[in-house]
Amino acid sequence: MKNGKKYNASIKAFDRAKQHDVEEAIKVVLDTAKANFDETIELHVRLGVDPRQADQQVRGVLVLPNGTGKTQRVLVIAKGEKADIAQNAGADYVGAEEMVAKIANENWFDFDVIITTPDMMGIVGRIGKQLGPKGLMPNPKSGTVTMDVAKAIAEIKAGKVEYRLDKTAIIHCPIGKKSFGATKLVENFNALMEAVVKAKPAAAKGQYIKSVNLASTMGPGVKVAYNKI
């Protein structure tokens, strides 16, 4: 697969081998984001842990200081009072068994996040094989299995993100949009990196942060000097 002219021009515009300070790296990312839409800026962090080991998992959530720039569509699986609270709190979709059936039978995925109450997890678990591969399965650790549905909805709408390792020990997480500008992106970057550093497992040995890269949706990766973080 050949790269486009804009991408090829972008990779010639800076030294790809150089590790940049955070502010400089974000400036390069913004300068090389040439697409005709508001590109997402994403952080990629390679960690010195073994993702196969349960005691070396790195996972967490936080509300970014300036949000993500993305409007999150929230589905709440709940009944009774909790369903009413979810509706009033701004959930995009609210329901119970009928919503689970819609996902199972119609392959319906017009949402970005599912929140559910603990009593509904048995029902939601029936579609785990469909939700899991898409990263949509509710989880207490991410705050999406909770009795406080109003708080969960508010946090997600405010720019809550979940970060976690993939199978290659890399965390991929958005930190905002190109339109945010450098200052807001730096603030979001620092907040996310601080959370990742604090989440270091006790079982992790040796160098924890192996590499840090930033990239826009259509742009090249830019190395960040992680030893200065």
Side-chain angles (χ1 to χ4, degrees):
M1 182 176 177
K2 293 184 178 180
N3 294 318
K5 291 182 180 179
K6 290 182 179 179
Y7 182 92
N8 288 331
S10 292
I11 62 176
K12 293 177 182 178
F14 69 102
D15 184 354
R16 298 191 72 190
K18 178 183 176 181
Q19 290 189 346
H20 302 75
D21 290 340
V22 176
E23 291 81 1
E24 184 183 2
I26 286 178
K27 182 181 184 301
V28 172
V29 169
L30 293 177
D31 288 345
T32 55
K34 303 292 188 181
N36 297 321
F37 62 90
D38 193 8
E39 295 184 60
T40 295
I41 310 303
E42 193 163 83
L43 173 64
H44 308 275
V45 187
R46 182 184 295 276
L47 299 179
V49 298
D50 185 348
R52 297 169 298 179
Q53 304 301 318
D55 61 354
Q56 294 189 43
Q57 293 300 309
V58 179
R59 180 176 185 172
V61 294
L62 80 155
V63 177
L64 293 174
N66 302 296
T68 63
K70 180 181 179 181
T71 301
Q72 296 278 52
R73 300 165 298 172
V74 178
L75 164 63
V76 176
I77 305 294
K79 287 184 175 181
E81 179 188 10
K82 294 301 180 183
D84 294 337
I85 290 173
Q87 199 79 60
N88 294 331
D92 299 275
Y93 307 100
V94 181
E97 287 90 349
E98 74 278 11
M99 303 306 284
V100 172
K102 187 176 179 69
I103 294 169
N105 301 327
E106 301 175 26
N107 201 35
W108 176 73
F109 287 100
D110 291 342
F111 54 88
D112 302 297
V113 182
I114 299 181
I115 296 169
T116 188
T117 49
D119 59 299
M120 298 298 290
M121 273 303 290
I123 296 170
V124 175
R126 298 173 190 170
I127 52 172
K129 289 184 178 180
Q130 288 167 276
L131 299 178
K134 295 180 179 291
L136 292 169
M137 191 67 185
N139 188 295
K141 291 182 179 179
S142 64
T144 49
V145 179
T146 177
M147 292 300 287
D148 195 346
V149 293
K151 179 183 177 183
I153 293 167
E155 288 181 343
I156 290 166
K157 294 289 187 179
K160 182 178 180 179
V161 294
E162 179 181 7
Y163 59 89
R164 58 173 158 175
L165 288 177
D166 66 11
K167 293 180 180 179
T168 61
I170 300 175
I171 289 173
H172 309 273
C173 195
I175 61 167
K177 296 284 189 177
K178 178 183 177 181
S179 59
F180 279 23
T183 300
K184 289 184 177 180
L185 289 170
V186 168
E187 290 174 355
N188 281 357
F189 174 95
N190 288 335
L192 183 54
M193 282 304 303
E194 182 180 347
V196 171
V197 170
K198 285 184 177 179
K200 179 181 179 179
K205 305 298 180 184
Q207 186 178 348
Y208 179 53
I209 306 291
K210 289 287 189 178
S211 67
V212 180
N213 285 267
L214 285 164
S216 62
T217 306
M218 303 297 290
V222 179
K223 294 180 179 180
V224 182
Y226 56 88
N227 57 318
K228 295 183 179 181
I229 296 170

